[in-house]
Amino acid sequence: MRLQQSKEQLLDAYRQMKTIREFEERLHREIMTGEIAGFTHLYSGQEAVAVGVCQHLDSEDLIVSTHRGHGHCIAKGCDVIDMMAEIYGRQTGLGKGKGGSMHIADFDKGMLGANGVVGAGGPLAVGAALSAKLDGRGRVGICFAGEGSINQGAVFEAMNMAKVINAPAVFAIEINGYSEHTGASYSVGGIDIANRTAGFGLKTVETDGCDYHAVYDAMAELLDHARAGNGPCAAVFRTTRFFGHFEGDPQKYRARDEVKQHRLERDCLKTFRARVVPVCGISETELDAIDADVLALIDAAVDRARAAPATPIEEMEADVYVSYQQDQP
Ligand SMILES: Cc1ncc(C[n+]2csc(CCOP(=O)(O)OP(=O)(O)O)c2C)c(N)n1
């Protein structure tokens, strides 16, 4: 395990994970007020994956996300205030309030978008990886994917294509135990997903997705491989989901104390604290100060989203439909 990231990098990783956690915990409460329209899928519990992956990337690297995308957006540098406004459907949101939770994107940050279509990210990420290969600057395309999406034909095709064209695509697969309300042991035929990705010829690593350092190390190895032009890779992360599939899911399919147990034993923030405080020159006080900053940021994000104007009806179609007629000679 590499603990040789600088103190500054480790503090940044903690801040990112904590920001995702508090963004989601607060959304969970705000959604109950009825002020937020549309479906929301929370990422809480999986923070170490998004952050352990994105700590290796800059805005030139491209990521493609899923319906459970807030964590990937935050880890890739999307503005938290603008994200919250987007989820509230406000004009100031990242997508001018027209996309909401499942369509947050920020091309300037290399975040190509959350996506409501399960499995759609595979082909997009391979396209991104092909563009990276063609410009030869060592960039990569990353596909975040749940274990449910790995059963989609488009994802198989994307993995195969990535191998055939030797593209620097990395599939970051998050096994949180469920696809919607169905346990992975039932919905995924052959739960050994690492074996599956290796079968496509992808260099594959499987590790604990609740452990930031395990994720960070796995990605270091895979990204060295992909950036050097050695072809596509897959990282399979075993992780856990603290909330329901979507907000409002009664979760009757889960054991009574399952989440309580996971919060006790599989919380990536607690694991991170316990590891870095004794050996990395980081104090509990420094981490507590980050916690306070993050809570203030999330308060500000909610206050500003509430105060921002809703997107007016007359603007709804702008940037949505393209007219080609004006380009005709
Ligand atoms: C093509 C398609 N099929 C089905 C759905 C409905 N659906 C939404 S989320 C989901 C489960 C996805 O599970 P997984 O990929 O494991 O991601 P997780 O929700 O666990 O993050 C399904 C089936 C969809 N959105 N798109």
Side-chain angles (χ1 to χ4, degrees):
M1 183 148 306
R2 303 182 196 197
L3 287 173
Q4 67 264 45
Q5 269 189 290
S6 69
K7 178 175 173 180
E8 197 184 27
Q9 288 168 326
L10 289 170
L11 289 175
D12 185 55
Y14 180 80
R15 182 182 294 275
Q16 297 288 332
M17 290 196 289
K18 184 71 180 170
T19 305
I20 299 171
R21 174 70 53 85
E22 295 304 334
F23 190 90
E24 301 293 65
E25 299 284 333
R26 182 67 186 269
L27 262 183
H28 176 68
R29 297 200 299 277
E30 295 304 330
I31 283 162
M32 284 193 254
T33 66
E35 265 184 85
I36 296 171
F39 261 72
T40 316
H41 307 80
L42 300 183
Y43 189 73
S44 206
Q46 303 181 209
E47 297 88 346
V49 176
V51 177
V53 171
C54 291
Q55 282 280 310
H56 291 280
L57 310 178
D58 64 25
S59 56
E60 297 278 292
D61 295 310
L62 303 173
I63 71 164
V64 177
S65 176
T66 69
H67 55 287
R68 199 176 300 288
H70 307 158
H72 308 139
C73 293
I74 292 173
K76 196 64 173 49
C78 294
D79 187 277
V80 168
I81 303 270
D82 298 347
M83 280 179 63
M84 192 65 88
E86 183 60 28
I87 292 168
Y88 271 81
R90 302 302 203 236
Q91 208 169 5
T92 53
L94 262 180
K96 299 183 190 162
K98 297 177 204 175
S101 164
M102 269 192 282
H103 303 97
I104 296 177
D106 188 345
F107 291 180
D108 292 341
K109 297 283 165 34
M111 166 58 194
L112 298 186
N115 200 318
V117 182
V118 170
L124 294 174
V126 176
L130 176 58
S131 77
K133 176 180 166 155
L134 294 177
D135 76 20
R137 290 189 282 131
R139 297 183 303 124
V140 290
I142 307 271
C143 174
F144 285 99
E147 76 264 43
S149 74
I150 293 306
N151 302 315
Q152 293 288 83
V155 177
F156 289 174
E157 292 177 39
M159 287 180 179
N160 184 63
M161 179 63 81
K163 182 67 185 174
V164 168
I165 63 178
N166 200 43
V170 183
F171 294 82
I173 301 161
E174 303 182 64
I175 306 184
N176 64 12
Y178 298 97
S179 297
E180 284 198 335
H181 322 282
T182 309
S185 58
Y186 181 81
S187 63
V188 184
I191 190 65
D192 189 348
I193 290 172
N195 212 3
R196 216 189 269 190
T197 56
F200 278 102
L202 272 55
K203 178 179 169 64
T204 299
V205 175
E206 179 168 8
T207 194
D208 183 357
C210 292
D211 179 337
Y212 166 80
H213 289 94
V215 174
Y216 185 87
D217 286 0
M219 286 309 291
E221 184 184 340
L222 296 182
L223 288 166
D224 282 352
H225 177 92
R227 290 193 200 280
N230 296 317
C233 312
V236 179
F237 299 118
R238 297 177 304 277
T239 179
T240 179
R241 192 185 79 197
F242 284 174
F243 290 110
H245 169 62
F246 62 94
E247 279 307 271
D249 174 3
Q251 303 188 71
K252 295 231 165 88
Y253 51 90
R254 293 184 104 165
R256 218 155 160 253
D257 285 338
E258 184 185 313
V259 174
K260 200 169 151 200
Q261 204 66 22
H262 283 167
R263 282 189 183 265
L264 268 177
E265 294 167 4
R266 305 265 292 140
D267 182 335
C268 59
L269 287 162
K270 287 186 192 157
T271 306
F272 186 94
R273 265 189 184 249
R275 184 170 298 132
V276 300
V277 168
V279 291
C280 298
I282 292 175
S283 68
E284 295 278 4
T285 320
E286 282 171 295
L287 297 176
D288 291 346
I290 291 177
D291 290 356
D293 277 0
V294 167
L295 285 172
L297 173 67
I298 303 299
D299 280 351
V302 171
D303 290 349
R304 285 178 57 177
R306 281 209 183 107
T311 306
I313 299 286
E314 56 278 14
E315 276 186 33
M316 288 291 180
E317 286 188 8
D319 313 317
V320 175
Y321 300 105
V322 176
S323 168
Y324 296 100
Q325 278 173 350
Q326 65 206 24
D327 299 325
Q328 302 292 319

